Amino acid sequence: MLRHHALALLLLVTAATRLPADDLATPGKKRLNILFIAVDDLRPELGCYGTRAVTPHLDRLAASGLRFDRAYCNQAVCGASRVSLMTGLYPEHTGERTYHVTGWRKRWATTVTLNQHFTQNGYTTIGLGKIYHGKSGAGVDPDNWTQWVKVGGKEYGDPDSLKNPRKRNGRSRGPATESADIPDTSHFDGNRARIGAARLKKLAKSGKPFFLAVGFTKPHLPFTAPRKYWDLYKRSQFRLPKNLGIPPGYPQFARNRNAGELRSYKDIPLQGTPDKFPVELSQRLIHGYHACASYTDRNVGVLLEALKTSGAADNTIVVFWADHGWKLGDHSSWCKHTNFECDTRVPLIIHHPRMPSVTGNTDALVELIDLYPTLCDLCGLDRPKHLQGKSLVPVLKDPSTSFRRSAYSSYPHGRGRGRTRVVGHSIRTDRHRYTEWWDQKTDKPVARVLTDITADPGETTSVTDRQSLQAMLSGQLRNRVLSVRKPRAR
Ligand SMILES: [Ca+2]
């Protein structure tokens, strides 16, 4: 008898927890489509986030949807972040941690990816550009889209850019920036916007539900954007940020001090730390980053305009996200590859045509890993059991809701000459960022730092006089790491 009651209760609870998904998918109405827009290396450097970037299309998207002000990636590098989002598994769980994660699909052959799940549920799924790291090959999960579309383009438009490239680590690179007077569609991203828009119109006409994923690679280096986007800014307006240096206690090995990725471009000095870069170079890089943000904004605009005229706008959810943040001179460095706030925080905007509550902004702490279960719920699809993220539906229903206690990111580093591996585990709570670097073999912390982001948003000072707070956060962090490592359900 007791077992029957327990079963009835379980069924009741299950039905209750399933209701929102069924409710949101609104049976009887046309199934919802997804326009999934990924951007590479973009920190929240957008007008709608209160910065000087000129990004009118994304500002309009944010005004028609919900802007997440405290969204975090799970690892601040391309490949690892994207495989994590698309598999719904943490990098600490899968060990897929490098920028290119070659071969991840073989190692996780039976894991159902986000695109695969939508394909298996009757969606037409089209992917193009940079969704996973890379443009083609097994790493883009080509067999699990209805169609993976290859799109061409040029990295550089000016023939001089390609002369005398810098050769390093088997790669040949031109300059870190270029402002050629060329059409938008000369570069990869302009082409991706054009082809993505054409695909979108075709998909809308088909009458079948679709999941269209378009990935743009700017503002990833090199900062090559058509000149008109550079002309939106005056170079003299750009200055190095004020948050130079690192918090006391922050280990040197976790700093990304040399900005190695940037050094592969031929116009970047090979000698000297980045804080010794000439002012003109720093200004040109910051200018280039903004020009690329504006170029990306225009490319997103091409997709959004196509959606507007496609006839599918009233039943298409738009999700805009970036794979991780970036340092624009912050902490006396450049690029990503750390646990700092500016490397882990990302822009995230969700537009929902049928949920009036999806508006304004939210302070909820969320992670990119949460997108997979969210999209399942919004489209009325079952969530695969292996997913480690949390559905954002409660935040979409009430943006003032408190959602996670902390957002978790991790980043591996070599330590010292012997290159002992350590992993930086970091949680962002309502007020603080707490990071421990653990020896990868023993799990023993080798360094830790607590920063108060509310009081010190640039994250250059550390809190050392709050032992009980540090102990509490240390326990919270350990629990999170151990929980993400747990074997997944099959
Ligand atoms: Ca990236």
Side-chain angles (χ1 to χ4, degrees):
M1 198 60 192
L2 198 66
R3 279 180 65 187
H4 280 127
H5 278 306
L7 184 65
L9 189 68
L10 180 71
L11 286 173
L12 200 69
V13 169
T14 311
T17 51
R18 283 189 55 78
L19 259 179
D22 297 342
D23 183 38
L24 291 165
T26 44
K29 281 198 181 178
K30 272 203 259 177
R31 286 175 81 183
L32 286 157
N33 310 305
I34 304 287
L35 174 58
F36 188 74
I37 305 172
V39 175
D40 207 3
D41 287 28
L42 178 69
R43 67 194 211 167
E45 201 69 47
L46 300 171
C48 57
Y49 279 93
T51 80
R52 67 178 65 187
V54 181
T55 53
H57 300 94
L58 282 160
D59 299 350
R60 271 198 292 278
L61 178 68
S64 77
L66 181 62
R67 188 190 77 215
F68 289 79
D69 288 348
R70 300 201 296 187
Y72 294 86
C73 72
N74 295 109
Q75 188 184 324
V77 74
C78 307
S81 173
R82 288 156 184 267
V83 163
S84 169
L85 190 160
M86 297 301 284
T87 57
L89 295 168
Y90 284 97
E92 177 63 17
H93 182 93
T94 61
E96 302 295 345
R97 287 201 169 279
T98 60
Y99 78 91
H100 50 16
V101 288
T102 315
W104 69 269
R105 207 26 164 148
K106 267 192 188 161
R107 292 184 287 274
W108 297 90
T110 59
T111 300
V112 176
T113 57
L114 176 61
N115 47 290
Q116 187 176 8
H117 191 54
F118 274 77
T119 309
Q120 289 174 350
N121 279 277
Y123 273 69
T124 305
T125 58
I126 305 279
L128 59 103
K130 186 165 170 176
I131 299 299
Y132 295 92
H133 185 79
K135 300 174 193 130
S136 60
V140 301
D141 201 22
D143 299 338
N144 292 308
W145 300 84
T146 307
Q147 193 184 0
W148 179 261
V149 182
K150 285 186 197 169
V151 180
K154 287 191 279 192
E155 191 72 276
Y156 294 100
D158 180 350
D160 281 350
S161 294
L162 298 168
K163 287 180 191 160
N164 307 314
R166 176 171 293 171
K167 292 186 177 157
R168 265 181 114 213
N169 304 329
R171 285 166 174 259
S172 233
R173 302 276 202 197
T177 64
E178 185 197 83
S179 55
D181 190 8
I182 54 172
D184 287 7
T185 48
S186 295
H187 291 302
F188 287 102
D189 281 354
N191 254 340
R192 290 162 177 159
R194 180 176 63 83
I195 291 169
R199 289 288 175 149
L200 178 55
K201 288 181 182 167
K202 217 170 140 186
L203 286 165
K205 274 198 192 125
S206 77
K208 289 185 192 160
F210 65 81
F211 178 99
L212 174 64
V214 181
F216 297 115
T217 37
K218 296 299 138 187
H220 193 290
L221 283 166
F223 301 150
T224 56
R227 187 182 301 163
K228 64 182 169 188
Y229 299 102
W230 290 75
D231 291 345
L232 294 170
Y233 306 92
K234 272 194 184 145
R235 184 159 306 175
S236 58
Q237 75 185 100
F238 295 112
R239 296 271 183 281
L240 276 176
K242 293 195 174 113
N243 60 337
L244 302 178
I246 54 174
Y250 198 101
Q252 290 295 336
F253 62 77
R255 188 183 177 180
N256 180 29
R257 191 174 187 194
N258 269 325
E261 182 185 0
L262 188 58
R263 309 275 183 169
S264 58
Y265 295 89
K266 71 177 184 182
D267 54 344
I268 304 297
L270 285 169
Q271 304 301 320
T273 48
D275 55 337
K276 304 286 187 300
F277 282 176
V279 175
E280 303 78 49
L281 172 59
S282 298
Q283 279 184 317
R284 172 160 63 91
L285 290 170
I286 301 172
H287 187 178
Y289 192 84
H290 282 76
C292 287
S294 292
Y295 175 48
T296 299
D297 175 73
R298 175 61 201 143
N299 290 323
V300 171
V302 169
L303 294 176
L304 298 178
E305 282 159 18
L307 178 61
K308 215 171 172 183
T309 57
S310 70
D314 63 349
N315 63 320
T316 301
I317 295 165
V318 183
V319 184
F320 173 88
W321 59 275
D323 60 353
H324 50 77
W326 227 76
K327 290 183 291 300
L328 282 172
D330 306 81
H331 306 293
S332 311
S333 189
W334 302 81
C335 312
K336 52 259 191 186
H337 312 116
T338 78
N339 289 119
F340 279 122
E341 182 80 359
C342 58
D343 283 345
T344 52
R345 184 167 164 248
V346 296
L348 174 64
I349 300 168
I350 296 180
H351 161 85
H352 194 299
R354 295 184 195 158
M355 282 179 81
S357 56
V358 181
T359 184
N361 65 307
T362 176
D363 280 338
L365 293 162
V366 307
E367 303 174 8
L368 288 181
I369 203 161
D370 299 330
L371 285 178
Y372 190 157
T374 305
L375 297 183
C376 292
D377 278 6
L378 292 179
C379 293
L381 274 49
D382 285 339
R383 295 181 211 154
K385 288 196 171 52
H386 73 267
L387 299 186
Q388 293 189 296
K390 281 176 76 172
S391 169
L392 295 170
V393 164
V395 184
L396 299 177
K397 287 190 160 182
D398 175 10
S400 70
T401 200
S402 89
F403 182 63
R404 285 182 175 280
R405 277 178 79 200
S406 67
Y408 166 68
S409 306
S410 60
Y411 203 92
H413 298 274
R415 181 161 68 108
R417 283 187 179 274
R419 302 288 285 172
T420 311
R421 294 286 277 181
V422 293
V423 179
H425 298 285
S426 193
I427 46 172
R428 170 65 155 97
T429 64
D430 184 48
R431 177 159 192 144
H432 298 96
R433 175 169 290 286
Y434 179 70
T435 306
E436 289 183 0
W437 289 267
W438 291 10
D439 182 299
Q440 200 169 33
K441 282 193 184 134
T442 64
D443 278 349
K444 288 215 170 103
V446 297
R448 63 186 84 208
V449 65
L450 171 63
T451 54
D452 183 338
I453 305 284
T454 308
D456 168 30
E459 215 183 346
T460 54
T461 58
S462 54
V463 180
T464 53
D465 57 351
R466 304 277 306 275
Q467 296 303 319
S468 60
L469 175 66
Q470 181 166 318
M472 191 270 285
L473 291 171
S474 181
Q476 200 179 324
L477 174 70
R478 183 159 287 269
N479 285 342
R480 285 227 62 189
V481 177
L482 297 183
S483 86
V484 307
R485 283 180 181 174
K486 275 186 190 155
R488 69 202 175 116
R490 294 242 175 209

